[in-house]
């Protein structure tokens, strides 16, 4: 049995004690493999040696030169001493300057040749190099080569990382095992793993670096896609309850409106799943306000028609109650029994609900996480719906499904994701898209403003309230230690309620409040006890307050576009014209671009495409709980070709060996199992 770097604690490396291990842990490095895959953030090209006479002011240079003077020490004041030494090559003389580093005297010996790398300063014709890195000219670890630059943490220096990674590579390269099967390496001309690891840290030249990068990116995508496809195929084979009664008309005719084409299309897809005899695993993606709830309701209705129970889970109590209030009248009128189960349901009621769910007296349960507690048991649960799924982990979604046998699952999300990305982020699910809003929606006029507009906006807020409307003011969630320019919800609330709107009832909601206090603040706003709600992004999901017509977002530059769009979707839900005001503190080019799309477009898909282009895919991966999917080196925005190739390769692999049970697929199976565990935790 070999010791894989993956299974080797970093402490087994030479020179790593408890203290260093602790510091490395801050970089996410726990094993030797973590260290070997702690990739540089960039590289410095020190490969070219130049003559001293060629150095340029303010530029970095690498020179080979002989020390021609002793190191002299210059005391400036307490805590500041500098050291000077002159070096020369056959073209000229250079003065090297070091600060507060007495050891220079022992390191640099007169008459010996070294290589120096550092920034050049030319003063009145005299050439200086400030705090150069150097080594004997026969070495090429930090000079005469391409040097990796890593992200650091307290106590960990570039030099230490370079040395330790080189050491780790030396001791463990022979134990690196390639998870990519050899035939795939061949087909896509990928280099072997040891070459890749070596050259991603210490590239021989830029071509080798590219070769290494390409392979490592391929590997990340390949493992992810193999994992997701395997999860999906395992789930997709499971037999599900086949519904025979799929006539939706009684439900549809009891609605006060008719479905949009997009809603109808998605309903058809769901009905097809429910009839098929295979378990449904479907994601419904639709912009805020596109009408996902009614699609879910149709599935609930069909389930009850067929004599089975269904459950619909929402991330907050407010949202769960809203679903219950909206849907249960329609469903009850069709003879279907509904209930609401949340954290604040009284113990006595809970007991009653548990009994009725277990003996089948209730057909449909709406609720929060309370639905997945151990005490809840169903007689014959056949459908589990999760709303605003990005607020749940996959594990929680699965827990609800596990309350029955072969349960169909439907998850809803209002975070529109570009199609290409959706395939990755939700590769384990089938995807339906509602890409159309119900008729008659008004555009939410959106303005991006600076501090100079503060007074006018405050007046505008007041005017809306006087008209009988309500306003949200959203602040970014910040730690107190962060910069002064950013408004925390609490401070902003204190200021506004004291100085600007002392006569208007205001509420506040933020993440650090107790769930119960949050709920009651939300309820006050929903029923109109408060007119202005200051909050962090906790209000981002699903809540429907038709009287809210104004959304003010502070430090809008701090939010992702998709998040801004989500937040804006909290207004414009009633008949009144609605507005969104984005306060920006900085106007970098990127911010300008991002705010421009917000003011121009109300279309979540268009906005998300722009977000992907401008900021890369990070924000979208955040839409899965805990950033379950993250990449060490791959970048979805840039690496689409590799993404596609690796997807095809993953598909082919699973076609040939669906369970990855062949011996030569042992290590890819191991990786896939590890990742799928992480994804479902
Ligand atoms: P979301 O997709 O954000 O969850 P909802 O399901 O809450 O959106 O729907 C938003 C509003 O649109 C609700 O008030 C709902 O009754 C209404 N609605 C949904 N579908 C239609 C439709 N086809 N025609 C008119 N109004 C609709
Ligand atoms: Mg919704």
């Amino acid at each position: 049995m070999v010791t894989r770097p993956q299974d080797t604690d970093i402490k087994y490396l030479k020179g790593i004690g408890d203290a260093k291990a602790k510091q490395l842990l801050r970089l996410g490095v726990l094993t030797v493999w973590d260290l070997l895959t702690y990739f540089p953030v960039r590289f410095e090209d020190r490969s070219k040696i130049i003559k001293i006479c060629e150095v340029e002011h303010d530029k970095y240079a690498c020179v080979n030169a002989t020390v021609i003077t002793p190191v002299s020490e210059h005391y400036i004041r307490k805590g500041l001493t500098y050291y000077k030494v002159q070096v020369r090559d056959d073209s000229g003389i250079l003065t090297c300057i070091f600060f507060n580093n007495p050891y220079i005297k022992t390191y640099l010996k007169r008459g010996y040749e070294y290589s120096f790398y550092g920034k050049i300063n030319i003063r009145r014709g005299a050439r200086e190099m400030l705090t150069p890195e150097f080594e004997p000219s026969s070495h090429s670890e930090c000079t005469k080569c391409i040097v990796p630059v890593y992200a650091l943490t307290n106590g960990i220096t570039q030099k230490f990382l370079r040395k330790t990674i080189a050491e780790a590579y030396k001791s463990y390269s022979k134990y690196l095992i390639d998870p990519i099967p050899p035939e795939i390496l061949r087909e896509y001309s990928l280099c072997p793993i040891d070459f890749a690891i070596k050259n991603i840290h210490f590239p021989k030249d830029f071509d080798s670096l590219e070769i290494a990068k390409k392979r490592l990116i391929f590997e990340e995508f390949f493992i992810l896609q193999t994992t997701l496809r395997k999860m999906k195929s395992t789930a997709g084979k499971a037999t599900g309850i086949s519904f025979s009664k799929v006539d939706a008309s009684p439900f549809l005719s009891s609605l006060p409106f008719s479905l949009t084409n997009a809603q109808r299309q998605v309903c058809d897809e769901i009905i097809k799943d429910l009839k098929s005899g295979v378990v449904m695993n479907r994601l419904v993606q639709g912009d805020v306000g596109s009408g996902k709830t009614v699609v879910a309701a149709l599935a609930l209705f069909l389930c009850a028609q067929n004599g089975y129970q269904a459950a619909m889970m929402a991330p907050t109590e407010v949202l769960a109650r809203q679903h219950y209030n909206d849907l249960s009248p329609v469903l009850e009128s069709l003879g279907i029994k509904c209930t609401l189960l949340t954290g604040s349901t009284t113990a006595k009621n809970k007991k009653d609900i548990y009994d009725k769910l277990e003996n089948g007296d209730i057909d449909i349960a709406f609720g929060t996480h309370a639905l997945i507690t151990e005490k809840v048991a169903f007689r014959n649960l056949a459908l589990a719906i999760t709303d605003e799924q990005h607020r749940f982990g996959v594990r929680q979604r699965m827990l609800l499904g596990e309350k029955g046998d072969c349960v169909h699952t439907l998850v809803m999300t209002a975070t529109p994701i570009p199609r290409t990305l959706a395939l990755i982020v939700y590769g384990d699910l089938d995807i339906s898209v509602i890409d159309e809003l119900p008729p008659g929606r008004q555009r939410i006029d959106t303005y991006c403003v600076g501090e100079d507009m503060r007074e006018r906006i405050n007046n505008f807020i007041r005017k809306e309230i006087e008209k009988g409307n309500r306003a949200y003011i959203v602040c970014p969630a910040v730690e107190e230690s962060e910069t002064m320019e950013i408004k925390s919800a609490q401070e902003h609330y204190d200021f506004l309620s004291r100085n600007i709107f002392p006569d208007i009832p205001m509420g506040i909601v933020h993440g650090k409040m107790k769930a119960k206090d949050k709920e009651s603040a939300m309820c006050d706003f929903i029923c109109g006890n408060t007119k202005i709600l200051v909050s962090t992004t906790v209000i981002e999901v699903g809540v429907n307050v038709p009287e809210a017509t104004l959304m003010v977002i502070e430090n809008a530059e701090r939010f992702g576009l998709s998040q801004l769009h989500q937040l804006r979707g909290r207004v414009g839900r009633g008949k009144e014209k609605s507005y969104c005001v984005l306060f920006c503190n900085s106007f970098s080019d990127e911010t300008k671009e991002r705010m421009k799309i917000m003011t121009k477009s109300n279309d979540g898909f268009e906005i998300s495409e722009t977000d992907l282009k401008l900021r890369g895919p990070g924000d979208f991966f955040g839409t899965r709980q805990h950033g379950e999917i993250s990449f060490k080196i791959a970048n979805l925005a840039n690496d689409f070709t590799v993404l596609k190739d690796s997807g095809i390769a993953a598909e082919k692999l699973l076609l040939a060996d669906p369970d990855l049970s062949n011996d030569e697929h042992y290590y890819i199976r191991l990786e896939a199992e590890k990742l799928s565990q992480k994804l479902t935790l």
Side-chain angles (χ1 to χ4, degrees):
M1 190 62 201
V2 292
T3 337
R4 287 202 317 157
Q6 278 87 341
D7 308 321
T8 309
D9 196 301
I10 194 76
K11 281 184 217 158
Y12 288 97
L13 273 186
K14 231 193 281 169
I16 307 286
D18 282 346
K20 275 284 173 263
K22 228 175 177 173
Q23 290 164 344
L24 283 168
L25 191 60
R26 284 206 300 267
L27 301 176
V29 172
L30 190 66
T31 64
V32 171
W33 176 249
D34 295 335
L35 185 68
L36 290 173
T37 54
Y38 189 71
F39 298 128
V41 285
R42 63 186 175 85
F43 292 87
E44 272 175 16
D45 185 3
R46 307 180 183 177
S47 52
K48 219 174 127 217
I49 295 271
I50 60 173
K51 293 278 174 212
I52 288 180
C53 69
E54 294 166 345
V55 300
E56 289 175 55
H57 177 66
D58 232 20
K59 296 221 167 107
Y60 283 85
C62 187
V63 302
N64 256 348
T66 306
V67 174
I68 54 172
T69 64
V71 176
S72 61
E73 184 170 332
H74 306 260
Y75 178 88
I76 303 289
R77 60 179 149 80
K78 193 158 185 289
L80 183 61
T81 305
Y82 73 91
Y83 300 82
K84 245 160 92 167
V85 65
Q86 286 198 335
V87 304
R88 75 171 305 157
D89 65 6
D90 56 19
S91 78
I93 291 180
L94 177 75
T95 306
C96 293
I97 298 176
F98 303 85
F99 294 97
N100 296 338
N101 192 347
Y103 302 105
I104 293 300
K105 283 198 268 191
T106 49
Y107 288 150
L108 280 177
K109 295 240 158 50
R110 196 169 169 180
Y112 286 83
E113 193 185 56
Y114 301 86
S115 308
F116 298 87
Y117 175 84
K119 197 171 183 179
I120 297 294
N121 188 31
I122 300 183
R123 263 202 309 183
R124 288 190 224 105
R127 302 181 190 93
E128 294 173 350
M129 191 182 263
L130 300 176
T131 55
E133 285 185 57
F134 61 89
E135 63 194 341
S137 62
S138 57
H139 291 209
S140 55
E141 272 154 29
C142 66
T143 62
K144 303 183 287 297
C145 61
I146 300 166
V147 175
V149 180
Y150 301 94
L152 300 177
T153 180
N154 260 344
I156 301 283
T157 62
Q158 295 293 352
K159 215 167 163 177
F160 170 81
L161 274 176
R162 282 178 211 145
K163 207 181 87 216
T164 315
I165 290 171
E167 181 68 40
Y169 179 78
K170 217 172 83 200
S171 316
Y172 284 89
S173 62
K174 52 184 175 298
Y175 301 124
L176 289 169
I177 297 170
D178 211 323
I180 306 180
E183 67 274 12
I184 294 177
L185 288 182
R186 228 172 299 123
E187 184 168 352
Y188 293 94
S189 317
L190 302 169
C191 68
I193 190 157
D194 49 342
F195 180 93
I197 293 290
K198 176 157 200 221
N199 282 279
I200 197 70
H201 293 289
F202 311 109
K204 202 166 73 211
D205 47 46
F206 281 101
D207 286 343
S208 310
L209 176 61
E210 278 316 303
I211 291 168
K213 236 191 209 159
K214 180 182 157 201
R215 181 237 136 82
L216 291 165
I217 292 168
F218 188 99
E219 180 174 325
E220 276 200 304
F221 282 152
F222 178 67
I223 290 173
L224 176 65
Q225 298 197 81
T226 305
T227 307
L228 290 174
R229 271 158 225 253
K230 191 154 171 292
M231 283 165 78
K232 181 165 170 176
S233 76
T234 313
K237 273 191 303 218
T239 356
I241 299 154
S242 164
F243 290 178
S244 52
K245 298 183 195 150
V246 291
D247 178 14
S249 46
F251 173 75
L252 294 179
S253 56
S254 67
L255 292 176
F257 47 74
S258 51
L259 295 185
T260 62
N261 286 332
Q263 282 171 320
R264 203 166 294 135
Q265 162 87 33
V266 173
C267 286
D268 286 347
E269 288 167 359
I270 291 172
I271 290 173
K272 210 167 132 212
D273 286 350
L274 294 176
K275 289 200 295 202
S276 71
V278 170
V279 163
M280 171 168 75
N281 269 299
R282 186 168 290 280
L283 171 82
V284 176
Q285 227 190 41
D287 210 342
V288 274
S290 61
K292 292 182 292 294
T293 318
V294 63
V295 171
L298 176 115
L300 294 171
F301 167 77
L302 291 177
C303 185
Q305 279 314 84
N306 285 271
Y308 293 98
Q309 290 173 304
M312 181 160 173
M313 181 165 73
T316 65
E317 183 144 354
V318 173
L319 206 52
R321 177 162 300 129
Q322 195 176 290
H323 286 149
Y324 175 75
N325 291 341
D326 288 353
L327 299 181
S328 65
V330 183
L331 294 167
E332 300 256 358
S333 76
L334 296 163
I336 296 166
K337 283 191 227 72
C338 301
T339 193
L340 175 67
L341 180 65
T342 70
S344 66
T345 307
T346 60
K348 193 165 142 273
N349 279 342
K350 267 188 193 151
K351 176 84 183 49
D352 185 46
I353 292 171
Y354 296 153
D355 289 345
K356 288 184 168 156
L357 285 174
E358 192 150 10
N359 65 28
D361 283 346
I362 290 172
D363 302 305
I364 295 173
F366 294 92
T368 56
H369 298 78
L371 288 172
I372 51 176
T373 51
E374 256 171 59
K375 296 210 179 89
V376 178
F378 291 84
R379 192 170 73 95
N380 63 356
L381 183 74
L383 170 67
I385 302 182
T386 321
D387 193 21
E388 304 296 351
Q389 86 86 38
H390 65 287
R391 288 292 176 112
F392 290 104
V394 183
R395 183 74 210 133
Q396 290 169 315
R397 187 175 91 205
M398 287 168 71
L399 276 175
L400 186 60
E402 284 164 12
K403 299 268 178 200
D405 293 325
C406 314
V407 173
H408 296 292
T409 58
L410 190 59
V411 299
M412 331 276 282
T413 182
T415 312
I417 293 183
R419 267 214 169 270
T420 30
L421 281 192
L423 284 175
I424 312 271
V425 181
Y426 298 114
D428 50 338
L429 301 169
D430 293 312
I431 300 172
S432 294
V433 180
I434 307 182
D435 51 7
E436 179 187 356
L437 293 182
R441 282 292 155 78
Q442 292 195 49
R443 214 189 125 77
I444 302 164
D445 285 347
T446 304
Y447 305 95
C448 177
V449 300
E451 240 0 85
D452 53 321
M453 291 286 284
R454 179 65 67 185
E455 210 181 316
R456 286 178 66 178
I457 299 298
N458 283 343
N459 291 337
F460 185 54
I461 297 174
R462 180 173 289 279
K463 249 176 49 202
E464 283 299 301
I465 305 299
E466 281 165 0
K467 276 200 277 185
N469 298 329
R470 279 167 233 165
Y472 291 102
I473 300 176
V474 176
C475 303
V478 285
E479 296 300 321
E480 272 141 43
S481 61
E482 275 190 84
T483 88
M484 298 293 292
E485 283 147 55
I486 289 155
K487 295 201 157 51
S488 87
Q490 186 67 52
E491 282 165 4
H492 199 44
Y493 168 84
D494 292 344
F495 177 80
L496 291 177
S497 58
R498 250 178 244 145
N499 306 310
I500 311 288
F501 306 118
D503 52 328
I504 298 175
M506 290 178 61
I508 175 165
V509 183
H510 58 73
K512 289 193 184 125
M513 284 162 71
K514 287 210 199 82
K516 242 174 88 192
D517 298 338
K518 260 191 273 187
E519 295 288 340
S520 84
M522 273 318 301
C523 290
D524 280 341
F525 186 67
I526 291 169
C527 68
N529 288 344
T530 51
K531 304 290 184 191
I532 298 177
L533 184 66
V534 179
S535 79
T536 54
T537 53
V538 289
I539 54 120
E540 153 198 354
V541 282
V543 187
N544 210 359
V545 183
E547 295 84 0
T549 55
L550 178 56
M551 166 63 64
V552 178
I553 300 174
E554 299 289 338
N555 294 103
E557 74 278 358
R558 307 258 303 183
F559 294 89
L561 282 182
S562 302
Q563 211 180 7
L564 289 175
H565 179 65
Q566 280 281 310
L567 288 166
R568 179 170 62 181
R570 297 306 103 222
V571 300
R573 302 197 145 228
K575 287 180 219 70
E576 296 275 321
K577 174 87 190 156
S578 291
Y579 305 89
C580 174
V581 175
L582 306 168
F583 267 105
C584 270
N585 244 351
S586 81
F587 284 95
S588 68
D589 286 351
E590 192 199 288
T591 304
K592 271 192 218 146
E593 280 284 310
R594 294 172 61 232
M595 295 306 135
K596 199 166 99 201
I597 179 85
M598 286 304 296
T599 54
K600 220 179 69 193
S601 175
N602 268 224
D603 174 348
F605 281 94
E606 188 185 350
I607 289 171
S608 73
E609 293 283 355
T610 311
D611 212 7
L612 175 65
K613 268 190 222 120
L614 290 174
R615 303 230 300 189
D619 290 345
F620 297 105
F621 287 96
T623 62
R624 267 191 108 138
Q625 187 89 348
H626 323 307
E628 287 152 345
I629 297 179
S630 57
F631 296 108
K632 281 184 162 173
I633 186 165
N635 176 337
L636 280 160
N638 301 333
D639 304 325
F640 266 136
T641 341
V642 186
L643 177 67
K644 259 188 264 153
D645 283 352
S646 60
I648 295 167
E651 196 141 288
K652 246 177 127 176
L653 174 72
L654 286 170
L655 207 63
D657 182 10
D659 310 318
L660 300 177
S661 53
N662 287 0
D663 279 352
E664 64 208 73
H665 301 150
Y666 175 75
Y667 286 99
I668 176 75
R669 193 178 88 219
L670 217 59
E671 294 298 329
E673 276 165 8
K674 211 166 67 188
L675 183 59
S676 100
Q677 241 170 39
K678 200 171 127 203
L679 291 176
T680 52
L681 230 94

